[in-house]
Amino acid sequence: MSRKTLLRTGPLLAGGISPYGPLGLTGPGGLALPPGFTGRVVARSGDKVAGLTWHAAPDGGACFPDGAGWIYVSNSELPLLGGASALRFRADGSVADAYRILSGTDLNCAGGATPWHTWLSCELGHRGRVFECDPYGARAARPRLSMGRFKHEAAACDPERRVIYMTEDEPDGCFYRFRPGDWGDLTEGTLEVLCGSGRWQAVPSPAALLKEARHQVDDARHFDGGDGCHYAGGVCYFTTKGDTGLWAYDAQTSSLDRLCEGVRAITAAPSGDLYVARECAEIDVIAPDRAVTPFLRLEGYDGAELTGLAFSPGGERLYFSARRGRTEGHTFEVAGPFRP
């Protein structure tokens, strides 16, 4: 999706005013935005939207094209009742429909979109699964068990190397990649783990019946609670919640760098800008020249976690959710002159 990518070397340059100008006064929904941008709440947990009761604990999300409109998919990190729901938008931004695409699963945290327009919804529970879902609501979701049984957080597709990167939410979690036998078909393939040597090694038993996947390879590299994950321009960015780190795995050079701290969720715009959710209910933009500046501040949501960052297919709108606990959740849309 991105036409540019972050410069591969050098430190991040924090401070200053964003490319969009300084944040304005707090507006509707508690949003403080740059000039020319507007925001609104498109769904609230427990309230009806287009006839559907919007789920609690909204988490990972992604957008998909839908004719002249688009679809935003959102996971629900609820035990046993998790699953995922979808909002269908018309070309003018109005909500046309809302519906479930996955039900009866456990702690659906993050996930990732595929190039063939399906949604990978990841279970966070013990021996969690990855479900491949149809965001258009036409086909039933299917578990992809070859992708491993562990506390799945997020997934990100690398169409150049034809692999899917995955994070694991354990204090000693690993960074994985799944190599399908046929790109576009996730029923079979090889699960691999990143090792301290920088190489990838196959996990002997992805089903993890007798031994956890993260403990099956002696040289596996461990991270403090794998969290968000996003691939753009040859780099897979992922976060670790235990130490709030933002990491960049350069798939072209097989190198791994820690970029900064204080980040929980991440996505990329078509411009190549990265948008990162901070722990303090703020979203920053990281430009391709590595400059980090504020983009958005959400007030009145003390203790909320910002999740599910995703751009509409054309890049004109940014979606995310603010969630507190297992019940309260608001899903936002921000529209404006995002950089092309």
Side-chain angles (χ1 to χ4, degrees), residues 260-292:
C260 65
E261 287 73 42
V263 176
R264 290 296 303 270
I266 184 169
T267 194
S271 62
D273 294 326
L274 301 179
Y275 287 75
V276 295
R278 297 291 190 175
E279 290 193 300
C280 52
E282 296 179 356
I283 294 177
D284 287 351
V285 56
I286 305 177
D289 63 3
R290 303 178 78 91
V292 184

PDB file of all heavy atoms in Angstrom, residues 260-292:
ATOM      1  N   CYS A 260      12.093   2.823  19.033  1.00  0.00           N
ATOM      2  CA  CYS A 260      11.730   3.733  20.118  1.00  0.00           C
ATOM      3  C   CYS A 260      10.886   2.984  21.141  1.00  0.00           C
ATOM      4  O   CYS A 260      10.632   1.788  21.003  1.00  0.00           O
ATOM      5  CB  CYS A 260      10.958   4.948  19.589  1.00  0.00           C
ATOM      6  SG  CYS A 260       9.346   4.543  18.857  1.00  0.00           S
ATOM      7  N   GLU A 261      10.441   3.711  22.181  1.00  0.00           N
ATOM      8  CA  GLU A 261       9.598   3.151  23.231  1.00  0.00           C
ATOM      9  C   GLU A 261       8.246   3.875  23.230  1.00  0.00           C
ATOM     10  O   GLU A 261       8.054   4.882  22.556  1.00  0.00           O
ATOM     11  CB  GLU A 261      10.251   3.303  24.604  1.00  0.00           C
ATOM     12  CG  GLU A 261      11.437   2.371  24.839  1.00  0.00           C
ATOM     13  CD  GLU A 261      12.660   2.774  24.070  1.00  0.00           C
ATOM     14  OE1 GLU A 261      12.952   3.986  24.018  1.00  0.00           O
ATOM     15  OE2 GLU A 261      13.334   1.884  23.509  1.00  0.00           O
ATOM     16  N   GLY A 262       7.321   3.354  24.051  1.00  0.00           N
ATOM     17  CA  GLY A 262       6.044   4.025  24.267  1.00  0.00           C
ATOM     18  C   GLY A 262       5.012   3.812  23.184  1.00  0.00           C
ATOM     19  O   GLY A 262       4.096   4.616  23.031  1.00  0.00           O
ATOM     20  N   VAL A 263       5.117   2.726  22.403  1.00  0.00           N
ATOM     21  CA  VAL A 263       4.206   2.472  21.283  1.00  0.00           C
ATOM     22  C   VAL A 263       3.442   1.180  21.524  1.00  0.00           C
ATOM     23  O   VAL A 263       4.000   0.196  22.000  1.00  0.00           O
ATOM     24  CB  VAL A 263       4.990   2.375  19.949  1.00  0.00           C
ATOM     25  CG1 VAL A 263       4.065   2.003  18.801  1.00  0.00           C
ATOM     26  CG2 VAL A 263       5.689   3.701  19.665  1.00  0.00           C
ATOM     27  N   ARG A 264       2.138   1.175  21.172  1.00  0.00           N
ATOM     28  CA  ARG A 264       1.320  -0.024  21.325  1.00  0.00           C
ATOM     29  C   ARG A 264       0.775  -0.550  19.994  1.00  0.00           C
ATOM     30  O   ARG A 264       0.716  -1.753  19.784  1.00  0.00           O
ATOM     31  CB  ARG A 264       0.143   0.248  22.276  1.00  0.00           C
ATOM     32  CG  ARG A 264       0.546   0.441  23.722  1.00  0.00           C
ATOM     33  CD  ARG A 264       1.175  -0.807  24.315  1.00  0.00           C
ATOM     34  NE  ARG A 264       0.327  -1.974  24.227  1.00  0.00           N
ATOM     35  CZ  ARG A 264      -0.560  -2.339  25.155  1.00  0.00           C
ATOM     36  NH1 ARG A 264      -0.719  -1.592  26.243  1.00  0.00           N
ATOM     37  NH2 ARG A 264      -1.281  -3.427  25.035  1.00  0.00           N
ATOM     38  N   ALA A 265       0.323   0.328  19.109  1.00  0.00           N
ATOM     39  CA  ALA A 265      -0.272  -0.104  17.843  1.00  0.00           C
ATOM     40  C   ALA A 265       0.328   0.717  16.711  1.00  0.00           C
ATOM     41  O   ALA A 265       0.828   1.828  16.919  1.00  0.00           O
ATOM     42  CB  ALA A 265      -1.787   0.051  17.877  1.00  0.00           C
ATOM     43  N   ILE A 266       0.251   0.176  15.486  1.00  0.00           N
ATOM     44  CA  ILE A 266       0.917   0.820  14.355  1.00  0.00           C
ATOM     45  C   ILE A 266       0.193   0.500  13.057  1.00  0.00           C
ATOM     46  O   ILE A 266      -0.385  -0.580  12.886  1.00  0.00           O
ATOM     47  CB  ILE A 266       2.395   0.362  14.269  1.00  0.00           C
ATOM     48  CG1 ILE A 266       3.141   1.095  13.159  1.00  0.00           C
ATOM     49  CG2 ILE A 266       2.500  -1.147  14.096  1.00  0.00           C
ATOM     50  CD1 ILE A 266       4.642   0.895  13.197  1.00  0.00           C
ATOM     51  N   THR A 267       0.211   1.462  12.132  1.00  0.00           N
ATOM     52  CA  THR A 267      -0.235   1.220  10.765  1.00  0.00           C
ATOM     53  C   THR A 267       0.548   2.165   9.864  1.00  0.00           C
ATOM     54  O   THR A 267       1.319   3.004  10.333  1.00  0.00           O
ATOM     55  CB  THR A 267      -1.747   1.421  10.602  1.00  0.00           C
ATOM     56  OG1 THR A 267      -2.171   0.863   9.354  1.00  0.00           O
ATOM     57  CG2 THR A 267      -2.139   2.895  10.652  1.00  0.00           C
ATOM     58  N   ALA A 268       0.350   2.037   8.555  1.00  0.00           N
ATOM     59  CA  ALA A 268       1.036   2.887   7.586  1.00  0.00           C
ATOM     60  C   ALA A 268       0.024   3.482   6.623  1.00  0.00           C
ATOM     61  O   ALA A 268      -0.991   2.855   6.293  1.00  0.00           O
ATOM     62  CB  ALA A 268       2.094   2.095   6.818  1.00  0.00           C
ATOM     63  N   ALA A 269       0.291   4.708   6.173  1.00  0.00           N
ATOM     64  CA  ALA A 269      -0.528   5.386   5.177  1.00  0.00           C
ATOM     65  C   ALA A 269       0.075   5.192   3.795  1.00  0.00           C
ATOM     66  O   ALA A 269       1.248   4.831   3.668  1.00  0.00           O
ATOM     67  CB  ALA A 269      -0.623   6.875   5.519  1.00  0.00           C
ATOM     68  N   PRO A 270      -0.688   5.444   2.722  1.00  0.00           N
ATOM     69  CA  PRO A 270      -0.122   5.314   1.374  1.00  0.00           C
ATOM     70  C   PRO A 270       1.087   6.206   1.147  1.00  0.00           C
ATOM     71  O   PRO A 270       1.947   5.888   0.328  1.00  0.00           O
ATOM     72  CB  PRO A 270      -1.296   5.736   0.480  1.00  0.00           C
ATOM     73  CG  PRO A 270      -2.509   5.396   1.271  1.00  0.00           C
ATOM     74  CD  PRO A 270      -2.144   5.684   2.697  1.00  0.00           C
ATOM     75  N   SER A 271       1.194   7.317   1.897  1.00  0.00           N
ATOM     76  CA  SER A 271       2.333   8.221   1.773  1.00  0.00           C
ATOM     77  C   SER A 271       3.636   7.608   2.248  1.00  0.00           C
ATOM     78  O   SER A 271       4.717   8.127   1.968  1.00  0.00           O
ATOM     79  CB  SER A 271       2.061   9.489   2.594  1.00  0.00           C
ATOM     80  OG  SER A 271       1.926   9.153   3.961  1.00  0.00           O
ATOM     81  N   GLY A 272       3.553   6.521   3.011  1.00  0.00           N
ATOM     82  CA  GLY A 272       4.721   5.950   3.642  1.00  0.00           C
ATOM     83  C   GLY A 272       4.877   6.375   5.078  1.00  0.00           C
ATOM     84  O   GLY A 272       5.733   5.856   5.801  1.00  0.00           O
ATOM     85  N   ASP A 273       4.061   7.347   5.534  1.00  0.00           N
ATOM     86  CA  ASP A 273       4.068   7.735   6.939  1.00  0.00           C
ATOM     87  C   ASP A 273       3.576   6.583   7.799  1.00  0.00           C
ATOM     88  O   ASP A 273       2.612   5.892   7.442  1.00  0.00           O
ATOM     89  CB  ASP A 273       3.152   8.940   7.170  1.00  0.00           C
ATOM     90  CG  ASP A 273       3.647  10.198   6.472  1.00  0.00           C
ATOM     91  OD1 ASP A 273       4.872  10.375   6.370  1.00  0.00           O
ATOM     92  OD2 ASP A 273       2.792  10.993   6.035  1.00  0.00           O
ATOM     93  N   LEU A 274       4.215   6.386   8.952  1.00  0.00           N
ATOM     94  CA  LEU A 274       3.731   5.444   9.947  1.00  0.00           C
ATOM     95  C   LEU A 274       2.912   6.203  10.978  1.00  0.00           C
ATOM     96  O   LEU A 274       3.256   7.331  11.347  1.00  0.00           O
ATOM     97  CB  LEU A 274       4.898   4.743  10.645  1.00  0.00           C
ATOM     98  CG  LEU A 274       5.869   3.942   9.779  1.00  0.00           C
ATOM     99  CD1 LEU A 274       6.974   3.347  10.654  1.00  0.00           C
ATOM    100  CD2 LEU A 274       5.147   2.852   9.013  1.00  0.00           C
ATOM    101  N   TYR A 275       1.835   5.597  11.436  1.00  0.00           N
ATOM    102  CA  TYR A 275       1.008   6.175  12.499  1.00  0.00           C
ATOM    103  C   TYR A 275       1.060   5.214  13.679  1.00  0.00           C
ATOM    104  O   TYR A 275       0.719   4.033  13.540  1.00  0.00           O
ATOM    105  CB  TYR A 275      -0.419   6.391  12.013  1.00  0.00           C
ATOM    106  CG  TYR A 275      -0.528   7.556  11.055  1.00  0.00           C
ATOM    107  CD1 TYR A 275      -0.090   7.450   9.740  1.00  0.00           C
ATOM    108  CD2 TYR A 275      -1.041   8.782  11.478  1.00  0.00           C
ATOM    109  CE1 TYR A 275      -0.156   8.528   8.869  1.00  0.00           C
ATOM    110  CE2 TYR A 275      -1.113   9.865  10.610  1.00  0.00           C
ATOM    111  CZ  TYR A 275      -0.670   9.731   9.308  1.00  0.00           C
ATOM    112  OH  TYR A 275      -0.729  10.808   8.448  1.00  0.00           O
ATOM    113  N   VAL A 276       1.511   5.723  14.834  1.00  0.00           N
ATOM    114  CA  VAL A 276       1.718   4.870  15.998  1.00  0.00           C
ATOM    115  C   VAL A 276       0.870   5.380  17.161  1.00  0.00           C
ATOM    116  O   VAL A 276       0.814   6.578  17.435  1.00  0.00           O
ATOM    117  CB  VAL A 276       3.207   4.815  16.404  1.00  0.00           C
ATOM    118  CG1 VAL A 276       4.031   4.152  15.311  1.00  0.00           C
ATOM    119  CG2 VAL A 276       3.778   6.192  16.722  1.00  0.00           C
ATOM    120  N   ALA A 277       0.188   4.446  17.827  1.00  0.00           N
ATOM    121  CA  ALA A 277      -0.617   4.776  19.003  1.00  0.00           C
ATOM    122  C   ALA A 277       0.266   4.690  20.236  1.00  0.00           C
ATOM    123  O   ALA A 277       0.914   3.671  20.484  1.00  0.00           O
ATOM    124  CB  ALA A 277      -1.794   3.814  19.122  1.00  0.00           C
ATOM    125  N   ARG A 278       0.282   5.775  21.005  1.00  0.00           N
ATOM    126  CA  ARG A 278       1.055   5.833  22.235  1.00  0.00           C
ATOM    127  C   ARG A 278       0.227   5.302  23.405  1.00  0.00           C
ATOM    128  O   ARG A 278      -0.986   5.101  23.301  1.00  0.00           O
ATOM    129  CB  ARG A 278       1.477   7.278  22.515  1.00  0.00           C
ATOM    130  CG  ARG A 278       2.389   7.874  21.451  1.00  0.00           C
ATOM    131  CD  ARG A 278       3.755   7.234  21.469  1.00  0.00           C
ATOM    132  NE  ARG A 278       4.721   7.954  20.620  1.00  0.00           N
ATOM    133  CZ  ARG A 278       5.995   7.651  20.540  1.00  0.00           C
ATOM    134  NH1 ARG A 278       6.489   6.658  21.249  1.00  0.00           N
ATOM    135  NH2 ARG A 278       6.813   8.330  19.749  1.00  0.00           N
ATOM    136  N   GLU A 279       0.871   5.122  24.537  1.00  0.00           N
ATOM    137  CA  GLU A 279       0.178   4.647  25.726  1.00  0.00           C
ATOM    138  C   GLU A 279      -0.687   5.729  26.362  1.00  0.00           C
ATOM    139  O   GLU A 279      -1.528   5.432  27.201  1.00  0.00           O
ATOM    140  CB  GLU A 279       1.202   4.145  26.744  1.00  0.00           C
ATOM    141  CG  GLU A 279       1.888   2.865  26.316  1.00  0.00           C
ATOM    142  CD  GLU A 279       2.649   2.238  27.448  1.00  0.00           C
ATOM    143  OE1 GLU A 279       3.563   2.900  27.967  1.00  0.00           O
ATOM    144  OE2 GLU A 279       2.332   1.095  27.812  1.00  0.00           O
ATOM    145  N   CYS A 280      -0.495   6.984  25.961  1.00  0.00           N
ATOM    146  CA  CYS A 280      -1.192   8.104  26.590  1.00  0.00           C
ATOM    147  C   CYS A 280      -2.331   8.632  25.723  1.00  0.00           C
ATOM    148  O   CYS A 280      -2.591   9.842  25.699  1.00  0.00           O
ATOM    149  CB  CYS A 280      -0.207   9.220  26.903  1.00  0.00           C
ATOM    150  SG  CYS A 280       0.811   9.702  25.473  1.00  0.00           S
ATOM    151  N   ALA A 281      -3.033   7.768  25.004  1.00  0.00           N
ATOM    152  CA  ALA A 281      -4.179   8.147  24.168  1.00  0.00           C
ATOM    153  C   ALA A 281      -3.800   9.217  23.141  1.00  0.00           C
ATOM    154  O   ALA A 281      -4.535  10.182  22.920  1.00  0.00           O
ATOM    155  CB  ALA A 281      -5.356   8.602  25.025  1.00  0.00           C
ATOM    156  N   GLU A 282      -2.646   9.031  22.521  1.00  0.00           N
ATOM    157  CA  GLU A 282      -2.203   9.918  21.454  1.00  0.00           C
ATOM    158  C   GLU A 282      -1.730   9.079  20.273  1.00  0.00           C
ATOM    159  O   GLU A 282      -1.305   7.933  20.442  1.00  0.00           O
ATOM    160  CB  GLU A 282      -1.050  10.818  21.929  1.00  0.00           C
ATOM    161  CG  GLU A 282      -1.444  11.786  23.036  1.00  0.00           C
ATOM    162  CD  GLU A 282      -0.275  12.633  23.493  1.00  0.00           C
ATOM    163  OE1 GLU A 282       0.857  12.399  22.998  1.00  0.00           O
ATOM    164  OE2 GLU A 282      -0.481  13.509  24.348  1.00  0.00           O
ATOM    165  N   ILE A 283      -1.815   9.665  19.084  1.00  0.00           N
ATOM    166  CA  ILE A 283      -1.279   9.038  17.881  1.00  0.00           C
ATOM    167  C   ILE A 283      -0.249   9.984  17.280  1.00  0.00           C
ATOM    168  O   ILE A 283      -0.530  11.169  17.068  1.00  0.00           O
ATOM    169  CB  ILE A 283      -2.387   8.723  16.857  1.00  0.00           C
ATOM    170  CG1 ILE A 283      -3.331   7.643  17.416  1.00  0.00           C
ATOM    171  CG2 ILE A 283      -1.795   8.258  15.527  1.00  0.00           C
ATOM    172  CD1 ILE A 283      -4.501   7.313  16.512  1.00  0.00           C
ATOM    173  N   ASP A 284       0.951   9.471  17.033  1.00  0.00           N
ATOM    174  CA  ASP A 284       2.018  10.238  16.395  1.00  0.00           C
ATOM    175  C   ASP A 284       2.186   9.769  14.960  1.00  0.00           C
ATOM    176  O   ASP A 284       1.830   8.639  14.602  1.00  0.00           O
ATOM    177  CB  ASP A 284       3.350  10.039  17.127  1.00  0.00           C
ATOM    178  CG  ASP A 284       3.399  10.763  18.464  1.00  0.00           C
ATOM    179  OD1 ASP A 284       2.475  11.555  18.756  1.00  0.00           O
ATOM    180  OD2 ASP A 284       4.355  10.513  19.223  1.00  0.00           O
ATOM    181  N   VAL A 285       2.764  10.639  14.138  1.00  0.00           N
ATOM    182  CA  VAL A 285       3.107  10.268  12.772  1.00  0.00           C
ATOM    183  C   VAL A 285       4.626  10.235  12.656  1.00  0.00           C
ATOM    184  O   VAL A 285       5.324  11.120  13.165  1.00  0.00           O
ATOM    185  CB  VAL A 285       2.473  11.247  11.750  1.00  0.00           C
ATOM    186  CG1 VAL A 285       2.875  12.690  12.016  1.00  0.00           C
ATOM    187  CG2 VAL A 285       2.842  10.851  10.334  1.00  0.00           C
ATOM    188  N   ILE A 286       5.142   9.181  12.033  1.00  0.00           N
ATOM    189  CA  ILE A 286       6.574   9.053  11.765  1.00  0.00           C
ATOM    190  C   ILE A 286       6.748   9.139  10.251  1.00  0.00           C
ATOM    191  O   ILE A 286       6.313   8.263   9.509  1.00  0.00           O
ATOM    192  CB  ILE A 286       7.143   7.721  12.291  1.00  0.00           C
ATOM    193  CG1 ILE A 286       6.829   7.548  13.784  1.00  0.00           C
ATOM    194  CG2 ILE A 286       8.646   7.657  12.052  1.00  0.00           C
ATOM    195  CD1 ILE A 286       7.309   6.218  14.365  1.00  0.00           C
ATOM    196  N   ALA A 287       7.367  10.218   9.795  1.00  0.00           N
ATOM    197  CA  ALA A 287       7.542  10.449   8.366  1.00  0.00           C
ATOM    198  C   ALA A 287       8.671   9.575   7.826  1.00  0.00           C
ATOM    199  O   ALA A 287       9.506   9.076   8.585  1.00  0.00           O
ATOM    200  CB  ALA A 287       7.845  11.927   8.118  1.00  0.00           C
ATOM    201  N   PRO A 288       8.735   9.377   6.507  1.00  0.00           N
ATOM    202  CA  PRO A 288       9.815   8.577   5.940  1.00  0.00           C
ATOM    203  C   PRO A 288      11.214   9.095   6.275  1.00  0.00           C
ATOM    204  O   PRO A 288      12.178   8.319   6.270  1.00  0.00           O
ATOM    205  CB  PRO A 288       9.538   8.645   4.430  1.00  0.00           C
ATOM    206  CG  PRO A 288       8.055   8.791   4.340  1.00  0.00           C
ATOM    207  CD  PRO A 288       7.695   9.687   5.498  1.00  0.00           C
ATOM    208  N   ASP A 289      11.353  10.404   6.588  1.00  0.00           N
ATOM    209  CA  ASP A 289      12.666  10.932   6.973  1.00  0.00           C
ATOM    210  C   ASP A 289      12.950  10.718   8.460  1.00  0.00           C
ATOM    211  O   ASP A 289      13.923  11.259   8.983  1.00  0.00           O
ATOM    212  CB  ASP A 289      12.777  12.415   6.625  1.00  0.00           C
ATOM    213  CG  ASP A 289      11.773  13.292   7.385  1.00  0.00           C
ATOM    214  OD1 ASP A 289      11.019  12.753   8.230  1.00  0.00           O
ATOM    215  OD2 ASP A 289      11.744  14.509   7.128  1.00  0.00           O
ATOM    216  N   ARG A 290      12.078   9.936   9.164  1.00  0.00           N
ATOM    217  CA  ARG A 290      12.238   9.518  10.561  1.00  0.00           C
ATOM    218  C   ARG A 290      11.868  10.606  11.566  1.00  0.00           C
ATOM    219  O   ARG A 290      12.149  10.479  12.758  1.00  0.00           O
ATOM    220  CB  ARG A 290      13.660   8.998  10.821  1.00  0.00           C
ATOM    221  CG  ARG A 290      14.068   7.837   9.928  1.00  0.00           C
ATOM    222  CD  ARG A 290      15.488   7.378  10.186  1.00  0.00           C
ATOM    223  NE  ARG A 290      15.603   6.554  11.388  1.00  0.00           N
ATOM    224  CZ  ARG A 290      15.502   5.229  11.418  1.00  0.00           C
ATOM    225  NH1 ARG A 290      15.251   4.552  10.303  1.00  0.00           N
ATOM    226  NH2 ARG A 290      15.647   4.573  12.542  1.00  0.00           N
ATOM    227  N   ALA A 291      11.206  11.671  11.123  1.00  0.00           N
ATOM    228  CA  ALA A 291      10.736  12.703  12.050  1.00  0.00           C
ATOM    229  C   ALA A 291       9.443  12.239  12.716  1.00  0.00           C
ATOM    230  O   ALA A 291       8.504  11.785  12.046  1.00  0.00           O
ATOM    231  CB  ALA A 291      10.510  14.013  11.313  1.00  0.00           C
ATOM    232  N   VAL A 292       9.376  12.347  14.052  1.00  0.00           N
ATOM    233  CA  VAL A 292       8.212  11.915  14.833  1.00  0.00           C
ATOM    234  C   VAL A 292       7.500  13.151  15.383  1.00  0.00           C
ATOM    235  O   VAL A 292       8.109  13.947  16.116  1.00  0.00           O
ATOM    236  CB  VAL A 292       8.632  11.006  16.002  1.00  0.00           C
ATOM    237  CG1 VAL A 292       7.404  10.476  16.736  1.00  0.00           C
ATOM    238  CG2 VAL A 292       9.502   9.864  15.512  1.00  0.00           C
TER     239      VAL A 292
END
